Amino acid sequence: MKITRHQNRRIHVGSVEIGGGSPISIQSMTNTLTQNIDATVEQIHRLVEAGAEIVRVAVPSHKDTAALKEILRQATVPIVADVHFHFDRAIEAIEAGVHKIRLNPGNIRDREKVARVIAAAKDAGIPIRIGVNSGSIRTTDQLGEHLDEEHLLKLMLDELDSYIRYFQEQKFENLVLSGKSSDVPMTIDLYRAIAERYDYPLHLGLTHAGTILTGAVRSADALGVLLYQGIGDTVRVSLSGDPVEEIYVAKQILSDFGLRKFSSPELVCCPTCGRCQVDLPEVVARVEKELRKIRKHLKVAVMGCIVNGPGEAADADIALVAGVDAGFIYVRGERKARVKPQDMVAALMEHIEKF
Ligand code: SF4
């Protein structure tokens, strides 16, 4: 089934379009000290190599904004400055030439200061992402009781409403919106409500999604439901650890819903069962690592036995069926080679290169 995307405005983050039906872009955030230019640029390059289309960097100090000019000179994708409490950092980042600012206006209580950031972004012609986070909302009432989801949702929407009204009063509409929580149903409800109310493009993500396993699952849960309903224009999967993994998870989610087609292979493998006589997870891990170097779209299957493997891999472009004495390579369902177990990953990669 084809997903009908939510109709909204289109904005530009450097060369990348967000919203208005443009392809859903993938972003991530560096976790190096931004002021460490070499480490930050190296991580940006790795993110881009994996498929990041926009990269955000935190700029908590003046040393960080001072590093931006050189980072921007070396980066090959648009760079977003993430500003938390200090409006001066936002102004400095805009002066350095960043392509977008991420601001939590709730953290800059002085509206005069927000107005100065808005004026600077307007002059530079760059968008601002504003959003609410469940973390910045008081989650208990005066008696210390936890608020129910409905109440919390209303508070977050009211807060977002007040920010947006303020930006509109300043005649600034070059906006991207977000509403994040680490709770999956809350995130879904929040984004659905935001998409109903406004026609600004939406940045999807959860806060503190978790480790690679829990974060990938939670992100797929929340983003999957929203994307399937046509909501979302740019995504960031938050995982703790190497942010490069975020890109692979985001690409998987988008390609699973048919929303993007990437020049990278899609890997499927069998779960293994009592028929499998090889260490398939080890083989799959090696194949996955090798596939990250390949820049073409094809479906690759890795199966754990010769009994059912060929049949179960029938819809893959290329399959490796790992038997105990030999590995078999299939191309579009046809057996092409029988190789020694120690050569099977190399043989698979050779056939992928030739494909
Ligand atoms: S391919 Fe073979 S080993 Fe893998 S799940 Fe199917 S029957 Fe089991």
Side-chain angles (χ1 to χ4, degrees):
M1 196 189 95
K2 190 162 168 22
I3 293 172
T4 307
R5 302 266 308 277
H6 184 73
Q7 302 271 318
N8 56 16
R9 298 169 194 238
R10 179 174 302 180
I11 61 118
H12 293 83
V13 180
S15 54
V16 179
E17 295 179 338
I18 300 182
S22 47
I24 297 171
S25 49
I26 295 179
Q27 35 182 307
S28 181
M29 187 170 180
T30 52
N31 60 9
T32 52
L33 269 184
T34 304
Q35 57 196 266
N36 183 341
I37 296 174
D38 290 346
T40 303
V41 168
E42 193 265 341
Q43 197 172 65
I44 292 171
H45 288 334
R46 287 201 305 117
L47 286 164
V48 174
E49 179 65 21
E53 291 155 317
I54 298 171
V55 177
R56 183 157 45 115
V57 299
V59 287
S61 75
H62 178 65
K63 278 187 179 163
D64 298 308
T65 49
L68 283 174
K69 251 202 164 73
E70 182 55 24
I71 291 170
L72 282 156
R73 196 185 67 76
Q74 296 190 46
T76 53
V77 291
I79 298 295
V80 181
D82 190 273
V83 178
H84 255 259
F85 295 100
H86 304 289
F87 94 104
D88 308 273
R89 300 293 89 79
I91 304 281
E92 289 159 11
I94 294 169
E95 284 170 359
V98 292
H99 302 94
K100 182 173 149 218
I101 293 284
R102 189 267 161 177
L103 200 66
N104 184 348
N107 286 339
I108 304 176
R109 292 284 165 205
D110 183 344
R111 288 282 159 107
E112 269 304 301
K113 290 180 175 174
V114 178
R116 285 176 57 191
V117 176
I118 293 173
K122 208 189 277 183
D123 283 349
I126 62 165
I128 299 179
R129 169 160 73 92
I130 53 171
V132 275
N133 275 353
S134 55
S136 54
I137 300 279
R138 203 190 150 112
T139 56
T140 52
D141 62 16
Q142 286 132 335
L143 300 171
E145 294 287 326
H146 278 284
L147 299 174
D148 59 30
E149 191 199 301
E150 205 178 322
H151 198 163
L152 206 55
L153 197 67
K154 187 179 173 321
L155 286 180
M156 288 175 81
L157 284 168
D158 287 350
E159 176 139 332
L160 185 63
D161 243 348
S162 79
Y163 298 159
I164 292 173
R165 271 203 307 278
Y166 186 71
F167 276 75
Q168 288 171 338
E169 281 165 20
Q170 308 293 314
K171 309 250 175 300
F172 189 92
E173 306 238 27
N174 199 2
L175 292 172
V176 179
L177 305 181
S178 61
K180 295 188 178 183
S181 162
S182 54
D183 181 86
V184 170
M186 178 85 174
T187 302
I188 294 169
D189 290 344
L190 187 57
Y191 273 103
R192 285 171 61 169
I194 295 172
E196 255 171 47
R197 284 177 191 217
Y198 309 105
D199 71 345
Y200 299 111
L202 299 184
H203 165 115
L204 297 189
L206 284 102
T207 49
H208 321 303
T211 61
I212 290 187
L213 175 69
T214 57
V217 174
R218 282 203 192 108
S219 297
D221 291 343
L223 272 53
V225 170
L226 290 164
L227 292 166
Y228 188 65
Q229 294 178 358
I231 296 169
D233 303 286
T234 180
V235 297
R236 193 254 167 133
V237 168
S238 312
L239 303 175
S240 76
D242 186 350
V244 167
E245 297 304 320
E246 299 180 356
I247 307 303
Y248 293 111
V249 176
K251 281 164 90 173
Q252 188 68 50
I253 296 171
L254 293 176
S255 56
D256 284 348
F257 283 95
L259 288 160
R260 294 281 305 267
K261 200 169 176 179
F262 299 98
S263 306
S264 49
E266 196 184 321
L267 175 64
V268 293
C269 58
C270 82
T272 75
C273 69
R275 291 181 194 89
C276 183
Q277 295 181 53
V278 294
D279 182 1
L280 200 72
E282 188 272 334
V283 176
V284 172
R286 277 196 287 143
V287 171
E288 187 172 46
K289 197 169 163 210
E290 290 299 317
L291 289 183
R292 288 187 174 184
K293 300 172 195 159
I294 303 291
R295 293 282 166 269
K296 54 178 123 175
H297 184 80
L298 77 170
K299 193 166 176 181
V300 178
V302 180
M303 297 296 171
C305 78
I306 193 68
V307 184
N308 289 345
E312 290 179 18
D315 70 333
D317 294 305
I318 301 195
L320 164 63
V321 176
V324 67
D325 300 320
F328 300 90
I329 308 292
Y330 287 76
V331 177
R332 294 252 161 92
E334 199 183 316
R335 189 193 283 194
K336 293 285 185 191
R338 176 196 166 107
V339 293
K340 290 182 192 148
Q342 64 270 30
D343 297 334
M344 60 192 177
V345 174
L348 174 73
M349 297 314 296
E350 249 171 59
H351 279 83
I352 290 171
E353 295 283 357
K354 275 194 273 171
F355 187 76

